[in-house]
Amino acid sequence: LLPRCWSALRETDYRDAMQGGDSWVAELCARALQRGIEVEFVDAVVRHRQLPAPGGAPQCWPYPVRIHCLGDWVLHTGARPASERELRTSLELLHRVLAQAPAPLPIDELIGDLWPGEGREGAQKAFDAALHRLRKRLGCEDALRLAQRQLSLHPGWAWADVIALEQRLDVAGSVHSGGAAALDFCEDVLGLYQGHLLPDLDHPAVIQRRSVLWLRVRSAVESALKQANDCDGVRLRPLVERLQQLHASAPWVALAHT
């Protein structure tokens, strides 16, 4: 039924069905994308109606903001890039949010770190200006959510690899059946974990989160690999090698826990 409905909508290029029911439409779009149904048209509907991603939306959802901070830093937005120098403090805000994600980041300590000596009122104004510039750079006002003096990425408007990774790790227990499911899990996790979190930053909070996240990834993947030990060697070998490479590039782990 779902394929026929989407096909009929595509044939008439009708993108405004169920007006007033955007949450339902978003769920139907997510299901269609998950199943590969009329992907181009569904993508166009999401963009046309500016639908936020529902919970559990697939990674291929057309988020207006996509952030890769595991390994190489990559920021995809619909806005025209500004100079890195102009946005240095604003990007530091974003880095600190990512280091805390998916939990919200209390801004009072952050303001004290970034604008010491500015006085309470001056530091707050500097934060407000930096947040405004960052939202402008992201091209989506709703991508960053500020509530009760806590700052976080809005999951409906922004996708980040570190948050997707945490969500995948949260279901690590589901791979206990071993075999191909364990290999699928490892490929998913290492596919997201392209490198260590924000590797060029040396703020203590970032270093600590980088270490904790890597240890969690290593533990989960090693456990799954043991379950898949008698499985497909062609799939198993590159996963073991990749885990070894990541381990060799993490000499800071011991330092972060001393």
Side-chain angles (χ1 to χ4, degrees), residues 59 70 161-162 164-172 175 181-195 213-222 224-225 239 242-243 246:
Q59 190 173 326
L70 297 171
D161 54 2
V162 66
L165 176 67
E166 290 278 12
Q167 292 170 342
R168 192 66 181 94
L169 290 171
D170 285 342
V171 297
V175 304
L183 288 177
D184 290 344
F185 171 80
C186 292
E187 289 172 347
D188 288 348
V189 168
L190 294 180
L192 287 165
Y193 198 88
Q194 291 293 303
L213 184 61
W214 161 240
L215 291 174
R216 189 180 181 202
V217 167
R218 188 180 70 182
S219 176
V221 173
E222 285 178 345
L225 288 174
L239 295 170
R242 178 57 181 155
L243 194 66
L246 289 166

Coordinates of all heavy atoms in Angstrom, one line a residue, residues 59 70 161-162 164-172 175 181-195 213-222 224-225 239 242-243 246:
Q59 N 19.4 7.5 8.3 CA 20.5 8.4 8.1 C 20.3 9.2 6.8 O 20.9 10.3 6.6 CB 21.8 7.7 8.1 CG 23.0 8.5 8.1 CD 24.3 7.7 8.3 OE1 24.3 6.7 9.0 NE2 25.4 8.1 7.7
L70 N 33.9 12.8 13.9 CA 34.7 11.7 14.2 C 35.7 11.5 13.1 O 35.3 11.0 12.0 CB 33.7 10.4 14.3 CG 32.7 10.5 15.4 CD1 31.7 9.3 15.4 CD2 33.4 10.5 16.8
D161 N 27.4 12.6 13.4 CA 27.9 11.2 13.4 C 28.0 10.7 14.9 O 27.8 9.6 15.2 CB 29.1 11.0 12.6 CG 30.3 12.0 13.0 OD1 30.1 12.8 13.9 OD2 31.3 12.0 12.3
V162 N 28.5 11.6 15.8 CA 28.7 11.2 17.1 C 27.4 10.8 17.8 O 27.3 9.9 18.6 CB 29.4 12.3 17.9 CG1 28.6 13.5 18.1 CG2 29.9 11.8 19.3
A164 N 24.6 9.7 16.2 CA 24.2 8.4 15.5 C 25.0 7.3 16.1 O 24.5 6.2 16.3 CB 24.4 8.5 14.0
L165 N 26.3 7.5 16.4 CA 27.1 6.4 16.9 C 26.6 6.0 18.3 O 26.5 4.8 18.6 CB 28.6 6.9 17.0 CG 29.5 5.9 17.7 CD1 29.7 4.6 16.9 CD2 30.9 6.6 17.9
E166 N 26.3 7.0 19.2 CA 25.9 6.7 20.5 C 24.6 5.9 20.4 O 24.3 5.0 21.2 CB 25.6 8.0 21.3 CG 26.9 8.8 21.7 CD 27.5 8.2 22.9 OE1 27.1 7.1 23.4 OE2 28.4 8.9 23.4
Q167 N 23.7 6.3 19.5 CA 22.4 5.5 19.4 C 22.7 4.1 19.0 O 22.0 3.2 19.4 CB 21.5 6.3 18.4 CG 21.0 7.6 18.9 CD 20.3 8.4 17.8 OE1 20.5 8.2 16.6 NE2 19.6 9.4 18.2
R168 N 23.6 3.9 18.1 CA 23.9 2.5 17.6 C 24.6 1.7 18.8 O 24.3 0.5 18.9 CB 24.9 2.6 16.4 CG 25.0 1.2 15.7 CD 23.8 0.8 15.1 NE 23.8 -0.5 14.4 CZ 23.5 -1.7 15.0 NH1 23.1 -1.7 16.2 NH2 23.6 -2.8 14.3
L169 N 25.4 2.3 19.5 CA 26.0 1.6 20.7 C 25.0 1.3 21.7 O 25.2 0.3 22.5 CB 27.1 2.5 21.3 CG 28.4 2.7 20.4 CD1 29.3 3.7 21.0 CD2 29.1 1.4 20.2
D170 N 24.0 2.1 21.8 CA 22.9 1.9 22.8 C 22.2 0.5 22.6 O 21.6 0.0 23.5 CB 21.9 3.0 22.9 CG 22.5 4.2 23.6 OD1 23.5 4.1 24.3 OD2 21.9 5.3 23.4
V171 N 22.2 0.0 21.4 CA 21.6 -1.2 21.1 C 22.6 -2.4 20.9 O 22.3 -3.4 20.3 CB 20.7 -1.1 19.8 CG1 19.6 -0.1 20.1 CG2 21.5 -0.7 18.6
A172 N 23.8 -2.2 21.5 CA 24.8 -3.2 21.4 C 24.4 -4.6 21.9 O 24.8 -5.6 21.4 CB 26.1 -2.8 22.1
V175 N 23.1 -7.6 19.6 CA 23.9 -8.4 18.8 C 24.4 -9.7 19.4 O 25.2 -10.5 18.9 CB 25.2 -7.7 18.3 CG1 24.8 -6.4 17.6 CG2 26.2 -7.4 19.4
A181 N 24.7 -10.9 12.4 CA 24.2 -9.7 13.1 C 25.3 -9.0 13.8 O 25.4 -7.8 13.9 CB 23.1 -10.1 14.1
A182 N 26.3 -9.8 14.4 CA 27.4 -9.1 15.1 C 28.3 -8.4 14.1 O 28.8 -7.3 14.4 CB 28.2 -10.2 15.8
L183 N 28.5 -9.0 12.9 CA 29.3 -8.3 11.9 C 28.6 -7.1 11.4 O 29.2 -6.1 11.1 CB 29.6 -9.3 10.7 CG 30.5 -10.4 11.0 CD1 30.6 -11.4 9.8 CD2 31.9 -9.9 11.4
D184 N 27.3 -7.1 11.2 CA 26.5 -6.0 10.8 C 26.7 -4.8 11.8 O 26.9 -3.7 11.4 CB 25.0 -6.3 10.7 CG 24.7 -7.2 9.5 OD1 25.6 -7.4 8.6 OD2 23.6 -7.8 9.5
F185 N 26.7 -5.2 13.1 CA 26.8 -4.2 14.1 C 28.2 -3.5 14.0 O 28.4 -2.3 14.1 CB 26.6 -4.8 15.5 CG 27.0 -3.9 16.7 CD1 26.1 -3.0 17.1 CD2 28.2 -4.1 17.3 CE1 26.5 -2.1 18.2 CE2 28.6 -3.3 18.4 CZ 27.7 -2.3 18.8
C186 N 29.3 -4.4 13.9 CA 30.6 -3.9 13.8 C 30.8 -2.9 12.6 O 31.4 -1.9 12.7 CB 31.6 -5.0 13.7 SG 31.7 -6.0 15.3
E187 N 30.2 -3.3 11.5 CA 30.4 -2.5 10.3 C 29.6 -1.2 10.4 O 30.1 -0.1 10.0 CB 29.8 -3.3 9.1 CG 30.7 -4.4 8.7 CD 30.1 -5.3 7.6 OE1 28.9 -5.2 7.3 OE2 30.9 -6.1 7.0
D188 N 28.5 -1.2 11.1 CA 27.7 0.0 11.4 C 28.6 1.0 12.2 O 28.7 2.2 12.0 CB 26.4 -0.3 12.0 CG 25.4 -0.9 11.1 OD1 25.6 -0.9 9.8 OD2 24.4 -1.4 11.6
V189 N 29.1 0.4 13.3 CA 29.8 1.2 14.3 C 31.1 1.8 13.7 O 31.4 3.0 13.8 CB 30.1 0.4 15.6 CG1 31.1 1.1 16.5 CG2 28.8 0.1 16.4
L190 N 31.9 1.0 13.1 CA 33.1 1.4 12.5 C 32.9 2.3 11.3 O 33.8 3.1 10.9 CB 34.1 0.3 12.2 CG 34.5 -0.5 13.4 CD1 35.5 -1.7 13.1 CD2 35.2 0.4 14.4
G191 N 31.7 2.1 10.6 CA 31.4 3.0 9.5 C 31.1 4.4 10.0 O 31.5 5.4 9.3
L192 N 30.6 4.5 11.2 CA 30.3 5.9 11.8 C 31.6 6.4 12.4 O 31.9 7.6 12.3 CB 29.2 5.8 12.8 CG 27.8 5.6 12.3 CD1 26.8 5.2 13.4 CD2 27.3 6.9 11.7
Y193 N 32.4 5.5 13.1 CA 33.6 5.9 13.8 C 34.7 6.0 12.8 O 35.6 5.1 12.8 CB 33.8 4.9 14.9 CG 34.8 5.5 16.0 CD1 34.2 6.2 17.0 CD2 36.1 5.3 15.9 CE1 35.1 6.8 18.0 CE2 37.0 5.9 16.9 CZ 36.4 6.6 17.9 OH 37.3 7.1 18.9
Q194 N 34.8 7.0 12.0 CA 35.8 7.2 11.0 C 37.2 7.6 11.6 O 38.2 7.6 11.0 CB 35.4 8.2 10.0 CG 34.3 7.7 9.1 CD 34.7 6.6 8.2 OE1 35.6 6.7 7.4 NE2 34.0 5.4 8.3
G195 N 37.1 8.0 12.8 CA 38.3 8.5 13.6 C 37.9 9.0 14.9 O 36.7 9.0 15.3
L213 N 34.4 7.8 24.7 CA 33.7 7.3 23.6 C 34.5 6.2 22.9 O 34.0 5.1 22.5 CB 33.5 8.4 22.6 CG 32.7 8.1 21.3 CD1 31.3 7.6 21.7 CD2 32.6 9.3 20.4
W214 N 35.9 6.4 22.7 CA 36.7 5.4 22.1 C 36.7 4.1 22.9 O 36.5 3.0 22.3 CB 38.1 5.9 21.9 CG 39.1 4.8 21.7 CD1 40.2 4.5 22.4 CD2 39.1 3.8 20.6 NE1 40.8 3.4 22.0 CE2 40.2 2.9 20.8 CE3 38.2 3.5 19.6 CZ2 40.5 1.9 20.0 CZ3 38.5 2.4 18.7 CH2 39.6 1.6 19.0
L215 N 36.8 4.1 24.2 CA 36.8 2.9 25.0 C 35.5 2.2 24.9 O 35.4 1.0 24.9 CB 37.1 3.3 26.5 CG 38.5 3.8 26.8 CD1 38.6 4.2 28.2 CD2 39.5 2.7 26.5
R216 N 34.4 3.0 24.8 CA 33.1 2.3 24.6 C 33.0 1.6 23.2 O 32.5 0.5 23.1 CB 32.0 3.4 24.7 CG 30.6 2.8 24.8 CD 29.5 3.8 24.9 NE 28.2 3.2 25.0 CZ 27.0 3.8 24.7 NH1 27.0 5.0 24.3 NH2 25.9 3.1 24.7
V217 N 33.5 2.3 22.2 CA 33.5 1.7 20.8 C 34.3 0.4 20.8 O 33.9 -0.6 20.3 CB 34.0 2.7 19.8 CG1 34.3 2.0 18.5 CG2 33.0 3.8 19.6
R218 N 35.5 0.5 21.4 CA 36.4 -0.6 21.4 C 35.8 -1.8 22.1 O 35.9 -2.9 21.6 CB 37.8 -0.2 22.0 CG 38.8 -1.3 21.9 CD 40.1 -0.9 22.5 NE 40.0 -0.9 24.0 CZ 41.0 -0.5 24.8 NH1 42.1 0.0 24.3 NH2 40.8 -0.5 26.1
S219 N 35.2 -1.6 23.3 CA 34.6 -2.6 24.1 C 33.5 -3.3 23.3 O 33.4 -4.5 23.2 CB 34.1 -2.1 25.4 OG 33.5 -3.1 26.1
A220 N 32.6 -2.5 22.7 CA 31.4 -3.0 22.0 C 31.8 -3.8 20.8 O 31.3 -4.9 20.5 CB 30.5 -1.9 21.6
V221 N 32.8 -3.3 20.0 CA 33.2 -4.0 18.8 C 34.0 -5.2 19.1 O 33.8 -6.3 18.5 CB 34.1 -3.0 17.9 CG1 34.7 -3.8 16.7 CG2 33.2 -1.9 17.4
E222 N 34.9 -5.2 20.1 CA 35.6 -6.4 20.5 C 34.7 -7.5 21.0 O 34.8 -8.7 20.6 CB 36.6 -6.1 21.6 CG 37.8 -5.3 21.1 CD 38.8 -5.0 22.3 OE1 38.3 -5.1 23.5 OE2 39.9 -4.6 22.0
A224 N 31.5 -7.9 20.1 CA 30.8 -8.4 18.9 C 31.7 -9.3 18.0 O 31.2 -10.3 17.5 CB 30.2 -7.2 18.1
L225 N 33.0 -8.9 17.9 CA 33.9 -9.7 17.0 C 34.1 -11.1 17.6 O 34.2 -12.0 16.9 CB 35.2 -8.9 16.9 CG 35.2 -7.7 16.0 CD1 36.6 -7.0 16.1 CD2 34.9 -8.0 14.6
L239 N 37.6 -5.7 9.7 CA 37.1 -5.1 10.9 C 38.1 -5.1 12.0 O 38.4 -4.2 12.7 CB 35.8 -5.7 11.3 CG 34.6 -5.6 10.4 CD1 33.5 -6.5 10.8 CD2 34.1 -4.1 10.4
R242 N 40.9 -2.7 11.2 CA 40.5 -1.3 11.4 C 40.5 -1.0 12.9 O 41.0 0.1 13.3 CB 39.1 -1.0 10.8 CG 38.6 0.4 11.1 CD 39.5 1.4 10.5 NE 39.0 2.8 10.7 CZ 39.8 3.8 10.8 NH1 41.1 3.7 10.6 NH2 39.3 5.0 11.0
L243 N 40.1 -1.9 13.7 CA 40.1 -1.7 15.2 C 41.5 -1.5 15.7 O 41.8 -0.7 16.5 CB 39.4 -2.9 15.9 CG 39.0 -2.6 17.3 CD1 38.0 -1.6 17.5 CD2 38.5 -3.9 18.0
L246 N 42.8 2.0 14.8 CA 42.2 3.0 15.7 C 42.9 2.9 17.1 O 43.2 4.0 17.7 CB 40.7 2.8 15.8 CG 39.9 3.2 14.6 CD1 38.5 2.6 14.7 CD2 39.9 4.7 14.4

